[in-house]
Amino acid sequence: MSRLPDFEGLAMFAKVAEEGSFAAAARLMGVSVPTVSRAVARLEERLGGRLFNRTSRQLALTEFGASLAARAADIYRQAEEAESEAQDLGVQPRGLVRLAVPMSFGLRWVAPLLPELMRQYPNLCVDLHLSDATADLVADGFDAALRIAALPDSSLVARHLCAVSQNLVAAPGYLDVHGRPRHPRELAAHACLSYAYRARSQVWRFTHRDGSEEDVIPKGPLRVTNSDALLPPLLEGLAIAELPEFICSEYLADGRLEQVLPDWHMTQGGLYFVTPSARSRPRKVQILSDFFAQHLGQPTWRWHPGAER
């Protein structure tokens, strides 16, 4: 007897067990019924036990066959995946990927990467959906999403690309007139603009350098569904607002905005590439994940206090 496992016999047995029929299994595998029957008989002889009870009308797994069926099916699936991945390695990724991305982040940091993506992968088509509302990947039929959150959705498979900080900011003119808060509780006396699609709640959560914490519910004359809409009133010196670093860093760097409560930091989040499942992930989706990890893993939007021009 060969020491090499009978992979063909196991694969054909798994398919017969799954379909409940030699004829159906043969049709799906593109071989003849006698080929399948011989493979299963050979496997039974090798293993020393019957895998099926056969009658003219019914085919049923024996107890011995039932104990083997799940493992044989797993071997069959792994072989299919390995073959598919190997075939993909030899060709350029192709096909459509439906990708959901937050609006402001997508326009600022994803859209500029599209020319390089198109040049590098000419056979890949991306359906880019820009919206700050959190897309339901499964229900809405998306292959993947870039998501900015404090924590990834536990129902999805998330790849962390980089950290994303939030900053409380205002124009220097506003702070000169209304004063610079020293504690989060003092924000109650200020006009605070808010963002409707915060990942977890409408509460601003602050942590001091000494570890103490303070929660604030912002109150003010404007609430928006896109953070870019906060910039005009901020730059006009009308209020205080929370902005992600990838939006406000350029304004902090040139002095048009100033960090409020610099001794306190807000909830730190991250940029994630999320997919509905890691199992049998198409190569085109993995290519996209690797592309964004390469180009966004070390972001250029970082702001370093004290480096203002």
Coordinates of all heavy atoms in Angstrom, one line a residue, residues 74-136:
D74 N -13.2 18.9 4.7 CA -12.3 19.9 5.0 C -11.1 19.8 4.2 O -10.5 20.8 3.7 CB -11.9 19.9 6.5 CG -11.1 21.1 7.0 OD1 -11.6 22.2 6.7 OD2 -10.1 21.0 7.5
I75 N -10.6 18.6 3.9 CA -9.4 18.4 3.0 C -9.8 18.8 1.6 O -9.0 19.5 0.9 CB -9.0 16.9 3.1 CG1 -8.4 16.5 4.4 CG2 -8.0 16.6 1.9 CD1 -8.2 15.0 4.6
Y76 N -11.0 18.5 1.2 CA -11.4 18.9 -0.2 C -11.5 20.4 -0.3 O -11.0 21.0 -1.3 CB -12.8 18.3 -0.4 CG -13.3 18.5 -1.8 CD1 -13.2 17.4 -2.7 CD2 -13.9 19.6 -2.3 CE1 -13.7 17.5 -4.0 CE2 -14.4 19.8 -3.6 CZ -14.3 18.7 -4.4 OH -14.8 18.9 -5.7
R77 N -12.0 21.1 0.7 CA -12.1 22.6 0.7 C -10.7 23.2 0.7 O -10.5 24.1 -0.1 CB -12.9 23.1 1.9 CG -13.0 24.6 2.0 CD -13.7 25.0 3.3 NE -12.9 24.6 4.4 CZ -11.8 25.2 4.8 NH1 -11.3 26.2 4.1 NH2 -11.1 24.8 5.9
Q78 N -9.8 22.7 1.5 CA -8.5 23.3 1.6 C -7.8 23.1 0.3 O -7.0 24.0 -0.2 CB -7.7 22.6 2.7 CG -8.2 23.0 4.1 CD -7.3 22.4 5.2 OE1 -6.1 22.4 5.1 NE2 -8.0 21.9 6.3
A79 N -8.0 21.9 -0.4 CA -7.3 21.7 -1.7 C -7.9 22.7 -2.7 O -7.1 23.2 -3.5 CB -7.5 20.3 -2.1
E80 N -9.2 22.9 -2.7 CA -9.8 23.9 -3.7 C -9.2 25.3 -3.4 O -8.8 26.0 -4.4 CB -11.3 23.9 -3.5 CG -12.0 22.8 -4.1 CD -13.5 23.0 -4.1 OE1 -14.0 23.4 -3.0 OE2 -14.2 22.7 -5.0
E81 N -9.1 25.7 -2.2 CA -8.6 27.0 -1.9 C -7.1 27.2 -2.3 O -6.7 28.2 -2.8 CB -8.8 27.3 -0.4 CG -10.2 27.5 0.0 CD -10.4 27.8 1.5 OE1 -9.3 27.8 2.2 OE2 -11.5 28.0 2.0
A82 N -6.3 26.1 -2.0 CA -4.9 26.2 -2.3 C -4.7 26.3 -3.9 O -3.9 27.0 -4.3 CB -4.2 24.9 -1.8
E83 N -5.5 25.5 -4.6 CA -5.4 25.5 -6.0 C -5.9 26.9 -6.6 O -5.2 27.5 -7.5 CB -6.3 24.5 -6.6 CG -6.2 24.3 -8.1 CD -7.0 23.1 -8.7 OE1 -8.2 23.3 -8.8 OE2 -6.4 22.0 -8.9
S84 N -6.9 27.5 -6.0 CA -7.4 28.8 -6.5 C -6.4 29.9 -6.2 O -6.1 30.7 -7.0 CB -8.7 29.1 -5.7 OG -9.2 30.4 -6.1
E85 N -5.8 29.8 -5.0 CA -4.8 30.8 -4.7 C -3.5 30.7 -5.6 O -3.0 31.7 -6.0 CB -4.4 30.7 -3.2 CG -5.5 31.1 -2.2 CD -5.1 30.8 -0.8 OE1 -3.9 30.4 -0.5 OE2 -6.0 31.0 0.1
A86 N -3.1 29.5 -5.9 CA -2.0 29.3 -6.7 C -2.3 29.8 -8.1 O -1.4 30.4 -8.8 CB -1.6 27.8 -6.8
Q87 N -3.5 29.6 -8.6 CA -3.8 30.1 -9.9 C -3.8 31.6 -10.0 O -3.4 32.2 -10.9 CB -5.2 29.6 -10.3 CG -5.2 28.1 -10.7 CD -6.7 27.6 -10.9 OE1 -7.6 28.2 -10.5 NE2 -6.8 26.4 -11.6
D88 N -4.3 32.2 -8.9 CA -4.3 33.7 -8.8 C -2.9 34.3 -8.8 O -2.7 35.4 -9.3 CB -5.0 34.1 -7.5 CG -6.5 34.0 -7.6 OD1 -7.0 33.9 -8.8 OD2 -7.2 34.0 -6.6
L89 N -1.9 33.5 -8.2 CA -0.6 34.1 -8.1 C 0.0 34.4 -9.5 O 0.9 35.2 -9.7 CB 0.3 33.1 -7.3 CG 0.0 33.1 -5.8 CD1 0.9 32.0 -5.2 CD2 0.3 34.4 -5.2
G90 N -0.4 33.6 -10.5 CA 0.2 33.8 -11.8 C -0.5 34.8 -12.7 O -0.1 35.0 -13.8
V91 N -1.5 35.5 -12.2 CA -2.2 36.5 -13.0 C -2.4 37.7 -12.3 O -2.4 37.8 -11.0 CB -3.6 35.9 -13.5 CG1 -3.4 34.7 -14.4 CG2 -4.5 35.6 -12.3
Q92 N -2.6 38.8 -13.0 CA -3.0 40.1 -12.4 C -4.4 40.0 -11.7 O -5.3 39.3 -12.3 CB -3.0 41.2 -13.4 CG -1.7 41.8 -13.8 CD -1.3 42.9 -12.8 OE1 -2.1 43.4 -12.1 NE2 0.0 43.1 -12.7
P93 N -4.6 40.6 -10.6 CA -6.0 40.6 -10.0 C -6.9 41.3 -10.9 O -6.6 42.3 -11.5 CB -5.8 41.3 -8.7 CG -4.6 42.1 -8.9 CD -3.7 41.3 -9.7
R94 N -8.1 40.7 -11.0 CA -9.1 41.3 -11.9 C -10.5 41.2 -11.3 O -10.7 40.5 -10.4 CB -9.1 40.6 -13.3 CG -9.5 39.1 -13.3 CD -9.5 38.5 -14.7 NE -8.1 38.5 -15.3 CZ -7.8 39.2 -16.3 NH1 -8.7 40.0 -16.9 NH2 -6.6 39.2 -16.8
G95 N -11.4 42.0 -11.8 CA -12.7 42.0 -11.4 C -13.1 43.2 -10.6 O -12.3 44.1 -10.3
L96 N -14.3 43.2 -10.1 CA -14.9 44.3 -9.4 C -14.8 44.2 -7.9 O -15.0 43.1 -7.3 CB -16.4 44.5 -9.7 CG -17.2 45.6 -9.0 CD1 -16.7 47.0 -9.4 CD2 -18.7 45.4 -9.3
V97 N -14.3 45.2 -7.2 CA -14.3 45.3 -5.7 C -15.2 46.5 -5.3 O -14.9 47.6 -5.7 CB -12.9 45.4 -5.1 CG1 -13.0 45.5 -3.6 CG2 -12.0 44.3 -5.5
R98 N -16.2 46.2 -4.5 CA -17.1 47.3 -4.0 C -16.5 47.7 -2.6 O -16.5 46.9 -1.7 CB -18.5 46.8 -3.9 CG -19.2 46.4 -5.2 CD -20.7 46.3 -5.1 NE -21.3 47.6 -4.9 CZ -22.1 47.9 -3.9 NH1 -22.5 47.0 -3.0 NH2 -22.7 49.1 -3.8
L99 N -16.1 49.0 -2.5 CA -15.4 49.5 -1.4 C -16.1 50.7 -0.8 O -16.4 51.6 -1.5 CB -13.9 49.9 -1.8 CG -13.1 50.5 -0.7 CD1 -12.7 49.4 0.4 CD2 -11.8 51.1 -1.3
A100 N -16.4 50.6 0.5 CA -17.0 51.7 1.2 C -16.0 52.5 2.0 O -15.2 51.9 2.7 CB -18.1 51.2 2.2
V101 N -16.0 53.8 1.9 CA -15.0 54.7 2.5 C -15.6 55.9 3.1 O -16.5 56.5 2.4 CB -13.9 55.1 1.5 CG1 -12.8 56.0 2.2 CG2 -13.2 53.9 0.9
P102 N -15.3 56.4 4.3 CA -15.8 57.7 4.8 C -15.5 58.8 3.8 O -14.5 58.9 3.2 CB -15.1 57.9 6.1 CG -14.6 56.5 6.5 CD -14.3 55.8 5.2
M103 N -16.5 59.7 3.7 CA -16.4 60.8 2.7 C -15.2 61.6 2.8 O -14.4 61.8 1.8 CB -17.7 61.7 2.8 CG -17.7 62.8 1.9 SD -18.0 62.4 0.1 CE -19.8 62.0 0.2
S104 N -15.0 62.3 3.9 CA -13.8 63.2 4.0 C -12.5 62.5 3.9 O -11.6 63.0 3.2 CB -13.9 64.0 5.3 OG -15.0 64.8 5.4
F105 N -12.4 61.4 4.5 CA -11.1 60.6 4.4 C -10.9 60.2 3.0 O -9.8 60.2 2.5 CB -11.1 59.4 5.4 CG -9.8 58.7 5.4 CD1 -8.8 59.1 6.1 CD2 -9.7 57.5 4.6 CE1 -7.5 58.5 6.1 CE2 -8.5 56.8 4.6 CZ -7.4 57.3 5.3
G106 N -12.0 59.7 2.3 CA -11.8 59.2 1.0 C -11.4 60.3 0.0 O -10.5 60.0 -0.9
L107 N -12.0 61.5 0.1 CA -11.6 62.5 -0.8 C -10.2 63.0 -0.6 O -9.5 63.3 -1.5 CB -12.6 63.7 -0.6 CG -14.0 63.4 -1.1 CD1 -14.9 64.6 -0.8 CD2 -14.1 63.2 -2.6
R108 N -9.8 63.1 0.7 CA -8.4 63.6 1.0 C -7.3 62.6 0.8 O -6.3 62.9 0.3 CB -8.4 64.1 2.5 CG -8.9 65.4 2.7 CD -8.8 65.8 4.2 NE -9.0 67.2 4.5 CZ -10.1 67.8 4.5 NH1 -11.2 67.1 4.3 NH2 -10.2 69.1 4.7
W109 N -7.6 61.3 1.1 CA -6.4 60.4 1.2 C -6.6 59.2 0.4 O -5.6 58.5 0.1 CB -6.2 60.0 2.7 CG -5.9 61.2 3.5 CD1 -6.8 61.9 4.4 CD2 -4.7 62.0 3.6 NE1 -6.2 63.0 4.9 CE2 -4.9 63.0 4.5 CE3 -3.5 61.8 2.9 CZ2 -3.9 64.0 4.7 CZ3 -2.5 62.7 3.2 CH2 -2.7 63.8 4.1
V110 N -7.8 58.8 0.0 CA -8.0 57.6 -0.9 C -8.0 58.0 -2.4 O -7.3 57.4 -3.2 CB -9.3 56.8 -0.5 CG1 -9.5 55.7 -1.5 CG2 -9.2 56.3 0.9
A111 N -8.7 59.1 -2.7 CA -8.8 59.5 -4.1 C -7.4 59.8 -4.7 O -7.2 59.4 -5.8 CB -9.7 60.7 -4.2
P112 N -6.5 60.5 -4.0 CA -5.2 60.7 -4.6 C -4.4 59.4 -4.8 O -3.4 59.4 -5.6 CB -4.5 61.5 -3.5 CG -5.6 62.2 -2.8 CD -6.7 61.2 -2.7
L113 N -4.8 58.3 -4.2 CA -4.1 57.0 -4.4 C -4.6 56.3 -5.6 O -4.0 55.3 -6.1 CB -4.2 56.1 -3.2 CG -3.5 56.6 -1.9 CD1 -3.8 55.7 -0.8 CD2 -2.0 56.8 -2.1
L114 N -5.8 56.7 -6.2 CA -6.4 55.9 -7.2 C -5.6 55.8 -8.5 O -5.6 54.8 -9.1 CB -7.8 56.5 -7.5 CG -8.8 56.4 -6.3 CD1 -10.2 57.0 -6.7 CD2 -9.0 54.9 -5.9
P115 N -4.9 56.9 -8.9 CA -4.1 56.8 -10.1 C -3.0 55.7 -10.0 O -2.9 54.9 -11.0 CB -3.5 58.2 -10.3 CG -4.4 59.1 -9.6 CD -5.0 58.3 -8.5
E116 N -2.4 55.6 -8.9 CA -1.4 54.6 -8.7 C -2.0 53.2 -8.7 O -1.5 52.2 -9.2 CB -0.6 54.8 -7.4 CG 0.4 53.7 -7.0 CD 1.5 53.6 -8.0 OE1 1.8 54.5 -8.8 OE2 2.1 52.5 -8.1
L117 N -3.2 53.1 -8.0 CA -3.9 51.8 -8.0 C -4.2 51.4 -9.4 O -4.1 50.2 -9.8 CB -5.1 51.9 -7.1 CG -6.0 50.6 -7.0 CD1 -5.2 49.6 -6.2 CD2 -7.3 51.0 -6.3
M118 N -4.7 52.3 -10.2 CA -5.1 52.0 -11.6 C -4.0 51.6 -12.5 O -4.1 50.7 -13.3 CB -5.9 53.2 -12.2 CG -7.2 53.4 -11.5 SD -7.9 55.0 -11.9 CE -8.3 54.8 -13.6
R119 N -2.8 52.3 -12.3 CA -1.6 51.9 -13.0 C -1.1 50.6 -12.6 O -0.7 49.8 -13.5 CB -0.6 53.0 -12.8 CG -0.8 54.3 -13.6 CD 0.5 55.2 -13.6 NE 0.8 55.7 -12.3 CZ 0.4 56.8 -11.8 NH1 -0.4 57.6 -12.6 NH2 0.7 57.2 -10.6
Q120 N -1.1 50.3 -11.3 CA -0.5 49.1 -10.8 C -1.3 47.8 -11.1 O -0.8 46.8 -11.4 CB -0.3 49.2 -9.3 CG 0.7 48.2 -8.7 CD 1.1 48.5 -7.3 OE1 1.0 49.7 -6.9 NE2 1.6 47.5 -6.6
Y121 N -2.7 48.0 -11.1 CA -3.6 46.9 -11.3 C -4.6 47.3 -12.3 O -5.8 47.6 -12.0 CB -4.3 46.5 -10.0 CG -3.3 46.2 -8.9 CD1 -3.1 47.0 -7.8 CD2 -2.5 45.0 -8.9 CE1 -2.1 46.7 -6.8 CE2 -1.6 44.7 -8.0 CZ -1.4 45.5 -6.9 OH -0.5 45.2 -5.9
P122 N -4.3 47.3 -13.6 CA -5.2 47.8 -14.7 C -6.4 46.9 -14.9 O -7.4 47.4 -15.5 CB -4.3 47.7 -15.9 CG -3.2 46.7 -15.6 CD -2.9 46.9 -14.1
N123 N -6.4 45.7 -14.4 CA -7.6 44.8 -14.6 C -8.5 44.8 -13.4 O -9.5 44.1 -13.3 CB -7.1 43.3 -14.8 CG -6.3 43.2 -16.1 OD1 -6.7 43.8 -17.1 ND2 -5.2 42.5 -16.1
L124 N -8.2 45.6 -12.4 CA -9.0 45.7 -11.2 C -10.0 46.9 -11.3 O -9.6 48.0 -11.7 CB -8.1 45.9 -10.0 CG -8.8 45.8 -8.6 CD1 -9.3 44.3 -8.3 CD2 -7.8 46.2 -7.5
C125 N -11.2 46.6 -11.0 CA -12.2 47.7 -11.0 C -12.7 47.9 -9.6 O -13.1 47.0 -8.9 CB -13.4 47.3 -11.9 SG -13.0 47.0 -13.7
V126 N -12.7 49.2 -9.2 CA -13.2 49.6 -7.9 C -14.4 50.4 -7.9 O -14.5 51.4 -8.6 CB -12.1 50.3 -7.1 CG1 -12.6 50.8 -5.7 CG2 -10.8 49.5 -7.0
D127 N -15.5 49.9 -7.3 CA -16.7 50.7 -7.1 C -16.6 51.4 -5.8 O -16.8 50.8 -4.7 CB -17.9 49.8 -7.2 CG -19.2 50.5 -7.1 OD1 -19.2 51.7 -6.9 OD2 -20.3 49.9 -7.3
L128 N -16.2 52.7 -5.8 CA -15.9 53.4 -4.5 C -17.1 54.1 -4.0 O -17.6 55.0 -4.7 CB -14.7 54.4 -4.8 CG -14.2 55.2 -3.6 CD1 -13.7 54.3 -2.5 CD2 -13.2 56.2 -4.0
H129 N -17.6 53.8 -2.9 CA -18.8 54.4 -2.3 C -18.3 55.3 -1.1 O -17.8 54.8 -0.1 CB -19.7 53.2 -1.7 CG -20.9 53.7 -1.0 ND1 -22.1 54.1 -1.7 CD2 -21.2 53.9 0.3 CE1 -23.0 54.5 -0.8 NE2 -22.4 54.4 0.4
L130 N -18.5 56.6 -1.3 CA -18.1 57.6 -0.3 C -19.3 58.0 0.5 O -20.2 58.7 0.0 CB -17.5 58.8 -1.0 CG -16.2 58.5 -1.8 CD1 -15.8 59.7 -2.7 CD2 -15.1 58.2 -0.8
S131 N -19.3 57.7 1.8 CA -20.3 58.2 2.7 C -19.9 58.1 4.1 O -19.1 57.1 4.5 CB -21.6 57.3 2.5 OG -22.6 57.6 3.5
D132 N -20.3 59.0 5.0 CA -19.9 58.9 6.4 C -20.8 58.0 7.2 O -20.4 57.6 8.3 CB -20.0 60.3 7.0 CG -18.7 61.2 6.7 OD1 -17.9 60.7 6.0 OD2 -18.7 62.3 7.1
A133 N -21.9 57.6 6.6 CA -22.8 56.6 7.3 C -22.1 55.3 7.2 O -21.5 54.9 6.2 CB -24.1 56.6 6.6
T134 N -22.1 54.5 8.3 CA -21.5 53.2 8.3 C -22.3 52.2 7.5 O -23.4 51.9 7.7 CB -21.4 52.7 9.8 OG1 -20.7 53.6 10.6 CG2 -20.7 51.3 9.8
A135 N -21.6 51.7 6.5 CA -22.2 50.7 5.5 C -22.3 49.3 6.2 O -21.4 48.9 6.9 CB -21.4 50.6 4.2
D136 N -23.4 48.6 5.9 CA -23.6 47.2 6.3 C -22.9 46.4 5.2 O -23.6 46.3 4.1 CB -25.0 46.9 6.5 CG -25.2 45.5 7.1 OD1 -24.4 44.6 6.7 OD2 -26.2 45.3 7.8

